[in-house]
Amino acid sequence: MGLALAMMSLLSLSLGAFQIPLYNVLGILLDSIGLELTEFSQQQSNVLLHIRLPRILMAILVGGGLGITGAALQGLFRNPLVEPGLIGVSSGGALFAVIFIVFGSTLPFLSYFGGIGLPLFAFLGGLINTLLVYKMGSWAGKTDISLLILAGVALNALSGALIGLVIFYADDAALRNFTFWSLGDVGGANWSKVGVSFLLISGPVLLVMSQFKNLNALSIGENEAFHMGVDVQKVKYILLFSSALIVGTAVSFTGTIGFVGLIVPHLIRMMFGADHRLVLPGSFLFGATLLTFADLLGRTIVMPSEMPIGIITAIIGAPFFIWLIINVKKIRS
Amino acid sequence: MLQANDIHFCIRNMPIVDKANVSLAPGELTVILGPNGAGKSTLFKVLAGEIPCKYGKVDYNGSPINGFSAKNLALVRAVMPQHSSLSFPFKAMEVVELGLLSGGDSYRQDLLEEVMSETQTWHLKDQLYGNLSGGEKQRVQLARVLTQIWDKKPYPRYLLLDEPTSSMDIALQHHVLRIIHKIKKRNIGVLAILHDLNLAANYADKVILLKKGRILHQGPVKEVMCASNLEEVFEHPIQVFSGSEDSPMIIQSIPFIQNHLEIKLA
């Protein structure tokens, strides 16, 4: 899986509107750590190190983050249909990101945070929605999946409406900022954004991975997990908090990218079984690979223009979701 | 000792469990018997720590249950609920392995093989849990909770089982009760809810008869399981043939439609 990601990244570094042969890609990468092996042009080096590499690292962080968040939320809510977008984490993050983008210049206190303000604000929105959905979706200490999804639908609708309202009050400059953001892409990545994302995503990703045993226990049931010694409440809050931070950061830099969190854990379970020891890191690696691939497609199929990455994941993801619904029905009948 | 005093549990002012006192000594099998809706499972959940009890107290080895963290509680007691469903395709062996969680062991082939052979589930180890039959699932769950308390420990421990044999055939039911008989020798007290009066009569050390949330009778099998007590609790005519050294105790519920009964009624 790691190998697949490495190969996809190299391929993705090489291909694009400006082609860089694979051996030059390797040459430039090795050169930057002090090994001079092959000749390459300055232009190649600039495109690779300042445009393409941060973009691909962003795709890896966001894709991996969304993949592992999907796996964690599915495990926590004991349902394979849960996804960050579905239960309102993404839309909460988006709403707060939009508020930050539109009012960021008029509300001076928002600018104190600098580059980290937007992702932190989006995290806050994601967290609020996650906690609300969780509270609405659980009853007498148990999570009811239909309530949970209905709560997600309601909060998605509300967040969407509020986003509309915020845009209604936005001035021209803010509106342009918003439009750029909402095109939702890893294309705008630069090293400082990658740095902030790495800072905010890697911690919670590791935290989620450390919970693999508890997630396995939760698969039998919340009570059973408690009987086996799991502090269920604590695990829930760790996972909800981490998920909101990962998704909030991802949304704030790349807009809402759907379906990665849904498809990825499923395919990993089909390949490696249900043990979260493998599902969690597998979902990270595969999510990263998938988003890198989607980004490569987005950059290359309509060259020299670019197709937003969210469209690509939705085109792959929505039919998969339909297939999943049909299959769930078959299993139940 | 697992000691519960004055357990009182209400739902909308209706008492589900009413002033119950229960004590379970290590090395002992106590069986809770009672009709549907008697409050057996509620009492069971209060003892397991699954639902907090507002009135009354539960002590494990002399310490109140509220003072235990989930992890420490898992070291002194294991619980098998009535039904467990899995949300993802785990293999039977992976389910049993979860029993190692509280002990902090990640993987112990020898222990898993021992427990799974004992519960006759070793041959199922690579099958998906969801594809197993009801009785097989119960055995896998039993293996999981046994794994949790399998290693010998210097302090007394407890095993709580809610209808562990409900989906099993006759041979397996007896097999499971033999396992329970063996495990209690490891300084473990076992509390089980059973529906089969004969299993209770012949394997239990003590019996608790519960009706409408109240414990009507409790004590050693020979004292408590007499026809009059059982008829009072189950509201059905029952005959008890008290066994001897070399013959089992037999408890027979009397069918409504039977020639001799109709003659008697006539």
Side-chain angles (χ1 to χ4, degrees), chain A residues 2-16 18-30 48 52-53 56-57 60 288-289 292-293 296 299:
Chain A
L3 202 69
L5 175 60
M7 277 162 55
M8 180 55 72
S9 307
L10 280 179
L11 194 67
S12 189
L13 281 171
S14 159
L15 298 175
F18 181 83
Q19 302 269 356
I20 306 169
L22 262 181
Y23 64 89
N24 279 350
V25 170
L26 287 171
I28 295 165
L29 290 178
L30 290 174
L48 191 80
R52 218 165 271 171
L53 189 58
I56 284 161
L57 288 177
I60 288 173
T289 314
T292 312
F293 175 66
L296 177 63
R299 287 190 287 123

Side-chain angles (χ1 to χ4, degrees), chain A residues 78 220 223-224 227-229, chain B residues 50 70 77 84-85 144 148:
Chain A
R78 310 187 62 227
I220 311 190
N223 287 327
E224 285 83 344
H227 295 319
M228 289 186 282
Chain B
E50 190 177 317
R77 68 99 182 82
S84 295
S85 62
R144 173 178 68 78
Q148 192 177 329

Side-chain angles (χ1 to χ4, degrees), chain A residues 74-75 78 213 216-217 219-220 223-224 226-230 269 274-275 277, chain B residues 49-50 70 74 77 79 81 84-90 98 101-102 144 148:
Chain A
Q74 290 175 6
R78 310 187 62 227
K213 278 186 187 176
N216 282 345
S219 316
I220 311 190
N223 287 327
E224 285 83 344
F226 165 70
H227 295 319
M228 289 186 282
V230 177
R269 276 194 210 97
D275 189 349
R277 188 193 314 259
Chain B
E50 190 177 317
R77 68 99 182 82
V79 184
S84 295
S85 62
L86 260 92
S87 39
F88 299 109
F90 280 93
L98 289 172
L101 191 81
S102 58
R144 173 178 68 78
Q148 192 177 329

Side-chain angles (χ1 to χ4, degrees), chain A residues 138-159:
Chain A
S138 40
W139 184 76
K142 298 226 167 56
T143 311
D144 182 310
I145 192 63
S146 35
L147 281 181
L148 191 82
I149 288 178
L150 283 177
V153 169
L155 279 184
N156 278 340
L158 184 64
S159 304

Side-chain angles (χ1 to χ4, degrees), chain A residues 175-189:
Chain A
L175 204 57
R176 213 173 59 200
N177 276 338
F178 166 76
T179 313
F180 273 109
W181 173 82
S182 72
L183 284 174
D185 236 315
V186 289

Side-chain angles (χ1 to χ4, degrees), chain A residues 102-103 164-171:
Chain A
V102 171
F103 297 119
L165 196 67
V166 171
I167 292 168
F168 185 75
Y169 284 108
D171 59 20

